[in-house]
Amino acid sequence: MPRSFRFIQKKRGDRRTGSHQLGAAGQAFLFASFLLGGGVSLGLTIANHTIPEWRINHDYVPHACRVLGKRVVEVPDERGGFRPELWLQFALGKDEYATWGYDGGGLVTADRERCEQRLAEFEVGREYACWYDPLDPNQAVLVRDYTLAAWLRLLLPIPFLVVGGGGLAFVVVNWGKSAERRVVLARRTAQLDLLQTGESADHAFPTLPADTAIINSPGTRLRYRLPPVRPGWRLWSLVAASIVWNGVLAVLIVMTLNSAVGGGSHLVLAAFMLPFLAAGGWMAAVLVRKMVQAMRVGPTVVEISTHPWRPAGRFEVFASQAGRLRLDVWRLALVCEEEATFSQGTNKRTESRRVFEQELFRRDNVDLDAAGILEHQCEIVTPAAAMHSFESAHNKIRWQLVVTGQAGPKTGFERAFLVHFHPLARVGDR
Amino acid sequence: MMGDPRLALYFDGNLRLYLPGDTLAGEYQLESSRRVPAKAVELAVLWHTEGKGDEDLGVHYFDRREGGADAPLDLRRPQRFSTTLPASPLSYEGVIVKVRWCARVRVFFPKGRESMVEEPFRLGHVPPASEASRGDRP
């Protein structure tokens, strides 16, 4: 049964249960308003500033006039400034003209003294060159030039025109199109992009992530060396945060101490800074511990014999761990995690869940300092009914080889390496 | 309401489970006792995600037919369709991520009215997933 649009909508992230047409109409109205506002603003700027200045410099006729008076006029608009004006008198044939003018209104400044300095350049009673408007001789100027402001004003409406015009074009192009049709049109447009040089997924297996990072990384023991999932970003983020926080805190401490030495009393400020001092100290302690740990825990290397992996397949895995510490546990596991990204208000949040974990190897009480390096190679049989790797804009299913180590209750590390799990290519493939 | 057209979509053999490389075939029609002119009809075989993340959608097969001003579409006759299903993504019932396949038909009538019917199906034999606790052994 054909359905009419619904007024009441429910929204969670990008999911809507209301009327797409009503939403599109709202978008069209918004973008049209931007476009109209930008267009009106541009028109007014051209009419009130650009064209008059152009005419002054191109159309006005040169003549001679006598200055009979001076004044500084207060401009009653949002600029809140002053403008110099001179009382000009000149004759055109039998007609006499007298008018206030200077530069056609280009110079408006909040500095009254500047206006008076400009007026001081002209003597009352003397003759000067001027230019008058042939269409209306009552408009005349003594100074003419191009002002940067008159042309920069033309740039202000451009963002509104671009956003409004682009958005309106997007709404019009997609008007009345179903979600499926929009996806197909977007895909065709992407395929027409001849300059695209980024990674592209395997077309035989849509939604599988690109594997350039794996196939371009040869191993030394097995065929492929896997790149780590998060190469040290957490540690560098902690370094940056600690530097910024403690840097600002150090400046505040110095200022407080200087003031105290100078005889001021800042006990309240000093007391207020105590929790921030504690937080800065904790952050620095964590950073030092992490850096010491990073230096003691050496690089972890994981290599695989075959790429990609498939269900019920046999593959070789090699892992090595260097370092200068004694590990209570060193463990290699195959895990699968789901990752979902969703909008929460104006924020984007990402959550993950581990849905599969298989321990491949475990060693207890390993003294890396004495052993030098710990290595292990084993064969893995992948699950027969496992879900393949999956990647879309907001949802992922990722398979990883995870190396974890524990040295005491406070020293531990976990390093993950992505593997790509493909589905079987054909029915009956095993 | 009696007499309103009903859009129906059927798979051959009423199958609901398919494997990669299988042919998904079926037909759709507008079940009505009177002629209901349609401006256009779209058939899509697609996958979409559900769960905690924002919805993603991918179209595997898409067919759109439009009627002319003088010759609007008459969909009372069954319209056949057929496509070979891809190797991925397989249907998946996860904890926070789900991947679901369906065939969807939309009919566009004059004056902006629209009808839609959707029939889900499963691609592949991936069992439902559950959250793994650390240290689980197979």
Side-chain angles (χ1 to χ4, degrees):
Chain A
M1 182 174 175
R3 63 164 190 236
S4 56
F5 69 82
R6 306 174 201 174
F7 287 102
I8 298 174
Q9 305 185 40
K10 186 166 69 174
K11 180 177 184 296
R12 177 183 297 166
D14 284 343
R15 295 190 290 271
R16 296 180 182 274
T17 59
S19 163
H20 178 72
Q21 286 171 331
L22 190 60
Q27 276 187 322
F29 176 77
L30 175 69
F31 290 125
S33 303
F34 271 68
L35 187 64
L36 184 65
V40 167
S41 175
L42 183 65
L44 288 174
T45 300
I46 290 173
N48 294 336
H49 298 282
T50 311
I51 290 178
E53 189 169 288
W54 177 266
R55 292 197 64 242
I56 288 171
N57 286 280
H58 284 84
D59 294 348
Y60 275 30
V61 177
H63 201 60
C65 68
R66 190 178 299 279
V67 173
L68 298 180
K70 307 179 187 180
R71 69 180 182 184
V72 174
V73 176
E74 196 166 338
V75 178
D77 63 8
E78 69 279 0
R79 290 177 292 185
F82 301 94
R83 185 176 66 224
E85 286 187 344
L86 297 160
W87 182 245
L88 314 174
Q89 189 185 56
F90 58 93
L92 289 177
K94 295 179 184 175
D95 298 321
E96 291 265 335
Y97 293 93
T99 182
W100 287 102
Y102 178 73
D103 62 351
L107 175 62
V108 177
T109 174
D111 185 358
R112 188 188 178 105
E113 201 174 309
R114 186 179 167 197
C115 292
E116 290 169 356
Q117 284 171 358
R118 292 294 183 93
L119 292 175
E121 295 170 10
F122 298 89
E123 283 183 32
V124 174
R126 277 189 64 180
E127 272 201 0
Y128 293 92
C130 69
W131 294 263
Y132 68 89
D133 186 352
L135 299 177
D136 179 12
N138 284 310
Q139 303 293 326
V141 298
L142 276 158
V143 174
R144 65 175 194 172
D145 199 359
Y146 289 107
T147 57
L148 191 60
W151 300 93
L152 285 180
R153 281 198 190 105
L154 291 174
L155 298 178
L156 292 177
I158 288 177
F160 292 91
L161 291 171
V162 169
V163 170
L168 196 58
F170 177 81
V171 172
V172 167
V173 165
N174 287 295
W175 185 270
K177 290 188 174 61
S178 63
E180 302 85 54
R181 194 170 171 207
R182 290 198 299 272
V183 167
V184 170
L185 290 173
R187 192 171 65 197
R188 285 180 192 162
T189 304
Q191 286 169 350
L192 287 174
D193 186 359
L194 301 174
L195 297 178
Q196 184 178 358
T197 55
E199 299 178 352
S200 59
D202 187 344
H203 292 291
F205 297 104
T207 70
L208 288 177
D211 56 4
T212 313
I214 295 177
I215 60 179
N216 287 344
S217 176
T220 54
R221 192 70 70 89
L222 296 174
R223 188 165 179 191
Y224 301 103
R225 176 167 294 189
L226 301 179
V229 172
R230 280 181 291 267
W233 289 116
R234 279 187 183 165
L235 182 61
W236 288 113
S237 303
L238 188 58
V239 168
S242 186
I243 289 174
V244 169
W245 182 279
N246 287 298
V248 172
L249 208 53
V251 169
L252 289 175
I253 291 170
V254 167
M255 286 170 62
T256 305
L257 286 175
N258 281 341
S259 183
V261 164
S265 171
H266 291 277
L267 290 175
V268 174
L269 180 61
F272 177 75
M273 280 199 322
L274 281 176
F276 294 93
L277 269 172
W282 173 83
M283 207 181 292
V286 169
L287 176 63
V288 167
R289 194 176 77 229
K290 291 280 184 192
M291 290 187 76
V292 168
Q293 179 182 312
M295 285 187 293
R296 293 178 65 200
V297 178
T300 306
V301 172
V302 174
E303 297 180 356
I304 56 176
S305 59
T306 314
H307 166 79
W309 287 8
R310 295 186 195 280
R314 291 180 177 273
F315 308 98
E316 290 285 321
V317 176
F318 167 79
S320 74
Q321 179 68 57
R324 300 179 62 186
L325 74 170
R326 187 181 185 83
L327 290 172
D328 297 333
V329 175
W330 188 74
R331 183 173 173 267
L332 173 66
L334 175 66
V335 308
C336 177
E337 285 187 348
E338 298 174 6
E339 189 178 289
T341 301
F342 54 95
S343 305
Q344 199 169 59
T346 55
N347 298 327
K348 287 265 184 195
R349 283 193 57 188
T350 299
E351 285 193 20
S352 63
R353 293 285 189 278
R354 188 166 287 189
V355 296
F356 177 88
E357 183 163 350
Q358 177 184 345
E359 186 175 276
L360 303 178
F361 170 73
R362 180 190 179 104
R363 279 278 293 273
D364 296 322
N365 299 321
V366 180
D367 189 349
L368 280 178
D369 209 0
I373 191 166
L374 174 63
E375 297 179 341
H376 180 77
Q377 183 164 337
C378 61
E379 185 185 70
I380 171 177
V381 179
T382 52
M387 176 60 177
H388 56 78
S389 300
F390 172 82
E391 186 171 296
S392 62
H394 301 96
N395 297 273
K396 293 184 177 67
I397 298 168
R398 308 169 92 168
W399 286 86
Q400 303 172 53
L401 287 165
V402 178
V403 174
T404 53
Q406 196 70 32
K410 289 188 179 179
T411 304
F413 65 91
E414 182 176 283
R415 292 171 180 173
F417 303 81
L418 271 180
V419 290
H420 287 192
F421 221 99
H422 282 204
L424 294 173
R426 294 183 303 277
V427 175
D429 263 3
R430 286 289 182 264
Chain B
M1 194 190 310
M2 189 180 290
D4 281 338
R6 178 179 160 270
L7 189 56
L9 170 64
Y10 306 104
F11 296 139
D12 287 352
N14 205 24
L15 297 175
R16 294 291 169 166
L17 176 63
Y18 296 84
L19 294 177
D22 283 354
T23 299
L24 175 75
E27 60 186 31
Y28 60 89
Q29 70 179 114
L30 209 54
E31 294 173 349
S32 173
S33 55
R34 55 185 173 86
R35 188 164 186 261
V36 182
K39 283 175 52 181
V41 61
E42 290 178 356
L43 168 78
V45 176
L46 58 103
W47 60 264
H48 61 99
T49 60
E50 287 187 20
K52 250 192 169 170
D54 291 346
E55 184 181 67
D56 295 320
L57 183 146
V59 176
H60 165 67
Y61 173 81
F62 183 80
D63 179 42
R64 176 181 167 91
R65 290 189 292 135
E66 295 179 355
D70 300 329
L73 296 173
D74 183 1
L75 298 174
R76 288 178 297 172
R77 282 178 302 163
Q79 311 292 317
R80 297 282 308 168
F81 67 91
S82 170
T83 181
T84 303
L85 294 171
S88 71
L90 301 178
S91 297
Y92 176 68
E93 290 292 315
V95 176
I96 58 173
V97 174
K98 300 175 202 322
V99 180
R100 293 189 173 147
W101 279 87
C102 66
R104 194 178 281 172
V105 176
R106 290 183 191 268
V107 179
F108 301 89
F109 298 99
K111 296 181 185 177
R113 293 185 310 156
E114 183 182 318
S115 261
M116 192 267 284
V117 69
E118 178 180 300
E119 288 295 336
F121 64 91
R122 281 186 59 84
L123 180 64
H125 284 299
V126 179
S130 58
E131 192 159 353
S133 56
R134 296 216 168 228
D136 271 3
R137 292 176 184 272

